[in-house]
Amino acid sequence: MKVPVKVGEPLVMAQKFEKSFLRQDFRYPDSSVKDFWIFDFKNGESPAIAIGVTEDKHIIGVRQFRHAGNIVVIEAPGGVLKNPSEQPEEAIMREFPEETGYTPETIIRLSPVPIWFEPANCTVPYWSLLALNCRKEHEQNLDDTEIMEPVVVPIETWISWIFNGTIRDSKTITTTFLALPYLGITLVPRS
């Protein structure tokens, strides 16, 4: 397949807090040049996202206000890796307790490589993880821009929320489905 090739360096259209909105030209196989708008977050540092599970098999997520959608969503907690040497598991060991008050005993990486949010116009992929045997140990410790509360429900309820549209966050849905085999859950196709 012939693919477009980047032309020159991206033009930064707006930038704040290490987040940039870029315009990048691409030359197409027919020699035409077209521009694309790209969202670049934290210089490409990938966030880590984790589905948490308690010892009694309840899922831990968060109900969080999201500015771009101007809505409250139910999603998997997580956060950005602080530096290039930090591993996704380390980020979850820091972020999960801060956002939920629960501390994981074990963390499993669910994919050998990061998964793309939206490779059409976002430079950042994310890591999907599973946090097992989470225990409530303290209260949340949120950043000043985080508006969220923990949500703890049976696995069956969490999965039903995905199918009925209560959970609409794609990274949460993807991470949940990657976690199911580790939780001994097999979905049966609807007839």
Side-chain angles (χ1 to χ4, degrees):
M1 171 187 340
K2 294 181 180 178
V3 298
V5 176
K6 280 186 179 182
V7 176
E9 293 298 315
L11 179 62
V12 177
M13 305 306 288
Q15 185 171 21
K16 187 171 184 175
F17 303 122
E18 298 180 27
K19 297 174 187 171
S20 302
F21 192 52
L22 312 172
R23 195 197 88 201
Q24 175 69 60
D25 288 338
F26 287 86
R27 183 173 311 285
Y28 277 72
D30 68 359
S31 297
S32 65
V33 175
K34 296 178 175 45
D35 65 349
F36 276 81
W37 299 84
I38 300 168
F39 181 63
D40 184 37
F41 177 74
K42 289 275 191 184
N43 301 315
E45 292 178 15
S46 298
I49 310 300
I51 295 296
V53 183
T54 64
E55 291 177 351
D56 62 350
K57 306 298 183 213
H58 282 67
I59 298 288
I60 304 162
V62 291
R63 184 176 288 112
Q64 180 169 3
F65 176 76
R66 287 303 196 180
H67 297 82
N70 194 30
I71 59 171
V72 174
V73 298
I74 296 173
E75 63 183 18
V80 175
L81 280 60
K82 295 293 184 189
N83 59 62
S85 66
E86 185 174 44
Q87 295 299 303
E89 295 83 356
E90 294 171 299
I92 289 302
M93 283 305 289
R94 179 187 68 253
E95 292 286 337
F96 201 89
E98 287 178 4
E99 294 186 356
T100 67
Y102 286 79
T103 302
E105 178 182 287
T106 305
I107 298 176
I108 298 170
R109 192 180 297 193
L110 297 174
S111 175
V113 295
I115 300 167
W116 288 101
F117 278 109
E118 173 48 81
N121 58 10
C122 184
T123 62
V124 184
Y126 63 94
W127 292 98
S128 282
L129 298 110
L130 175 61
L132 294 172
N133 298 322
C134 298
R135 292 174 312 282
K136 176 78 170 164
E137 293 188 347
H138 53 80
E139 296 305 312
Q140 293 172 285
N141 182 18
L142 302 175
D143 296 337
D144 62 352
T145 59
E146 293 178 317
I147 309 294
M148 71 176 74
E149 61 187 15
V151 175
V152 182
V153 296
I155 291 173
E156 298 78 13
T157 301
W158 186 265
I159 293 170
S160 74
W161 284 355
I162 290 172
F163 283 103
N164 73 22
T166 301
I167 294 176
R168 301 185 309 167
D169 175 64
S170 63
K171 67 187 180 307
T172 299
I173 294 167
T174 300
T175 301
T176 298
F177 282 96
L178 290 171
L180 294 179
Y182 293 92
L183 301 173
I185 297 173
T186 304
L187 294 179
V188 178
R190 295 180 185 183
S191 48

